[in-house]
Amino acid sequence: MKRPLTRMSSSSVRLLGLGHSIYTRIARLALEEKGVSYELEEADPFGPDGVPAEHLKRHPFGRIPVLVHADFLLYETSAICRYIDEVFPGPQLQPASGAHRARMTQVISLLDSYAYRPMVWDVFVQHRRLIVKGTKPDEAAFDSALRQAETALRAIVEIKESSRYLVGSQLTLADLHAFPMLRYFALVPEGRALIARYPTLAEWLADMAQRQSVAATSSSYEHSPQKAD
Amino acid sequence: MKRPLTRMSSSSVRLLGLGHSIYTRIARLALEEKGVSYELEEADPFGPDGVPAEHLKRHPFGRIPVLVHADFLLYETSAICRYIDEVFPGPQLQPASGAHRARMTQVISLLDSYAYRPMVWDVFVQHRRLIVKGTKPDEAAFDSALRQAETALRAIVEIKESSRYLVGSQLTLADLHAFPMLRYFALVPEGRALIARYPTLAEWLADMAQRQSVAATSSSYEHSPQKAD
């Protein structure tokens, strides 16, 4: 359970998670954008034997990621990202104004509540099962997930308006929270087509894809969506 | 859809929601603790005709509450509460230190992710259906929800330790987020018994119940749990 995936330094920051997990990547993007050295340790709660007992001690709900900073252990990705932003030097990833801060929290919360499940589990994962195992998704459920995803995309576009980033002209935690989900969603032809209907979002996705933090955290799914890994 | 429930002033702050809704109450507790005058307007997305079209324009996912402050419209309770704390004068409801801020966000996030569904829907609502309509809950599902609730309670107790409030010695948004859920859960005998196993949490609940903000936002369920309303 403790095979290091990436040894970036022998620093006191460790992130327990999985390289291709959406939420692990969100936390990694925050670490990368702040320039924090960290070690990614594999913790797989999705294995055939369920959540390892060792991991349940660190995260009572058996999810990932978990951040360990010296003796401070923290789970819940939204808490991890804010913590990383607030305790480490580097660019500020939370806006200054109350209204922008509220919009950032709103985007993060709506992604968790309404976008993650349909975009990632009901569309991306179903599509991968089709590609890898030939398992056909339930068409009605797939279409329903696409409609839910579209509602979430529209809500995000309404907040983004013509800004460069999702909340104003500076990169914030909202961008880092959204990118991994929308990136996986865009690997599915139907997801890609839906995003293309919102040019401001398609441009944002292309712009984000150029970031060093994104390259440093890319998953095998992005490079070989046709193949199992 | 716009019957005012409470006219506290003709201020520019309106909260659209339902008096007995957990999330509406969380936002109201923040407004009350900050001393912000506001008007609560009824918006009921749970009616027999589903979410009214007018409400879907304000909240694309049809949930409550929605905050309207002058021309700034905001949904997602965690965003609303942070906004209220940051733009209005009054006591600070977010801690100063990075570690405490992280714990506050962690508690709010774990309540949303792991406590709300089992405590409120699977235990409290099922219990009310039994009391009001005589509908017996599925025993296995009810027991499973109690076990999930216990994991959440233990996680909160582990963070609280012996502090007066859930995160340190000052009231924070974590307390306001937790109280309405735990209050409803404690109206059910099995919920009350579970909380009683954690004296620090039972004391916190009794302490919170003394607050003026809690009295100002109490729901009919708390006073007549035996009767339909």
Side-chain angles (χ1 to χ4, degrees):
Chain A
M1 280 315 299
K2 278 190 165 179
R3 279 179 287 146
L5 292 182
T6 315
R7 279 194 194 280
M8 299 190 63
S9 90
S10 56
S11 82
S12 64
V13 177
R14 294 185 297 143
L15 190 74
L16 315 178
L18 282 177
H20 60 259
S21 139
I22 296 281
Y23 283 98
T24 301
R25 191 180 195 181
I26 293 169
R28 291 181 74 194
L29 288 174
L31 289 161
E32 296 282 346
E33 290 287 345
K34 295 293 280 192
V36 178
S37 296
Y38 67 99
E39 192 173 325
L40 178 64
E41 282 182 20
E42 188 172 311
D44 186 356
F46 307 116
D49 302 327
V51 183
E54 182 192 4
H55 189 64
L56 273 177
K57 279 187 213 154
R58 300 178 296 214
H59 193 316
F61 307 98
R63 304 288 176 87
I64 50 173
V66 174
L67 182 82
V68 186
H69 180 208
D71 59 356
F72 188 73
L73 188 148
L74 183 65
Y75 57 86
E76 291 302 286
T77 303
S78 58
I80 291 173
C81 291
R82 285 170 186 273
Y83 177 79
I84 291 167
D85 186 42
E86 294 177 9
V87 306
F88 293 107
Q92 290 297 306
L93 300 174
Q94 297 176 81
S97 86
H100 273 175
R101 292 169 71 84
R103 289 291 180 228
M104 184 196 78
T105 306
Q106 182 184 24
V107 169
I108 290 170
S109 186
L110 78 84
L111 286 163
D112 288 347
S113 302
Y114 316 114
Y116 174 65
R117 170 69 43 184
M119 281 190 196
V120 177
W121 284 99
D122 302 341
V123 171
F124 170 72
V125 172
Q126 290 302 319
H127 177 73
R128 270 197 73 81
R129 282 188 188 144
L130 174 67
I131 298 290
V132 176
K133 298 182 187 168
T135 317
K136 284 203 178 164
D138 176 319
E139 222 169 285
F142 193 85
D143 289 348
S144 163
L146 284 174
R147 283 194 301 275
Q148 291 168 53
E150 183 164 21
T151 302
L153 292 180
R154 268 205 313 268
I156 291 168
V157 166
E158 204 169 292
I159 290 167
K160 182 181 182 295
E161 297 176 327
S162 58
S163 305
R164 174 167 178 191
Y165 293 102
L166 296 189
V167 181
S169 59
Q170 300 293 320
L171 181 84
T172 71
L173 296 178
D175 300 291
L176 308 186
H177 217 88
F179 180 80
M181 295 183 204
L182 269 69
R183 177 77 181 113
Y184 274 12
F185 187 63
L187 293 176
V188 182
E190 291 87 344
R192 198 156 50 241
L194 203 50
I195 290 174
R197 285 197 224 156
Y198 302 95
T200 184
L201 214 51
E203 283 159 26
W204 167 86
L205 199 62
D207 184 22
M208 288 293 294
Q210 302 303 312
R211 300 188 81 86
Q212 166 61 27
S213 63
V214 164
T217 58
S218 73
S219 98
S220 56
Y221 294 157
E222 291 170 74
H223 306 295
S224 56
Q226 309 307 319
K227 289 166 63 187
D229 46 358
Chain B
M1 280 316 299
K2 278 191 164 178
R3 280 178 288 146
L5 293 181
T6 316
R7 278 195 193 281
M8 300 192 63
S9 89
S10 55
S11 83
S12 65
V13 177
R14 294 186 297 143
L15 191 74
L16 316 178
L18 282 176
H20 60 260
S21 139
I22 295 282
Y23 282 98
T24 301
R25 191 180 196 181
I26 293 169
R28 291 181 74 194
L29 288 174
L31 289 161
E32 296 281 347
E33 291 287 345
K34 295 293 280 193
V36 178
S37 296
Y38 66 100
E39 192 174 324
L40 179 63
E41 282 181 19
E42 188 173 311
D44 186 356
F46 306 116
D49 302 327
V51 183
E54 183 192 3
H55 189 64
L56 273 177
K57 279 187 213 153
R58 300 178 296 214
H59 193 315
F61 308 98
R63 305 289 176 86
I64 48 174
V66 174
L67 182 81
V68 185
H69 180 208
D71 59 356
F72 188 72
L73 188 148
L74 184 65
Y75 58 86
E76 291 302 285
T77 304
S78 58
I80 290 173
C81 291
R82 286 170 186 271
Y83 177 79
I84 291 167
D85 186 42
E86 294 178 9
V87 306
F88 293 107
Q92 290 297 305
L93 301 174
Q94 297 176 80
S97 86
H100 273 174
R101 293 169 69 85
R103 289 290 180 228
M104 184 196 79
T105 305
Q106 182 184 24
V107 169
I108 291 170
S109 186
L110 79 84
L111 286 163
D112 288 347
S113 302
Y114 316 114
Y116 174 65
R117 170 69 42 183
M119 282 190 195
V120 177
W121 283 99
D122 301 341
V123 170
F124 171 72
V125 172
Q126 290 302 320
H127 177 72
R128 271 197 72 82
R129 282 188 188 145
L130 174 67
I131 298 290
V132 175
K133 298 184 188 166
T135 316
K136 284 203 178 163
D138 176 319
E139 222 168 287
F142 193 84
D143 289 348
S144 163
L146 284 174
R147 284 193 301 275
Q148 292 168 52
E150 183 163 22
T151 302
L153 293 180
R154 268 205 313 268
I156 291 169
V157 166
E158 204 168 292
I159 290 166
K160 181 180 182 296
E161 297 177 328
S162 58
S163 305
R164 174 165 177 191
Y165 293 102
L166 296 189
V167 180
S169 59
Q170 301 293 321
L171 181 84
T172 72
L173 296 178
D175 300 291
L176 308 186
H177 217 87
F179 181 79
M181 295 183 204
L182 269 69
R183 177 76 180 113
Y184 274 12
F185 188 63
L187 293 176
V188 182
E190 291 86 346
R192 199 156 50 241
L194 203 51
I195 290 174
R197 283 197 225 157
Y198 302 94
T200 186
L201 213 52
E203 283 159 26
W204 167 86
L205 199 63
D207 185 22
M208 288 292 294
Q210 302 303 313
R211 300 189 80 86
Q212 166 60 27
S213 63
V214 164
T217 58
S218 74
S219 98
S220 56
Y221 294 156
E222 290 170 74
H223 306 296
S224 57
Q226 309 306 319
K227 287 167 63 188
D229 46 355

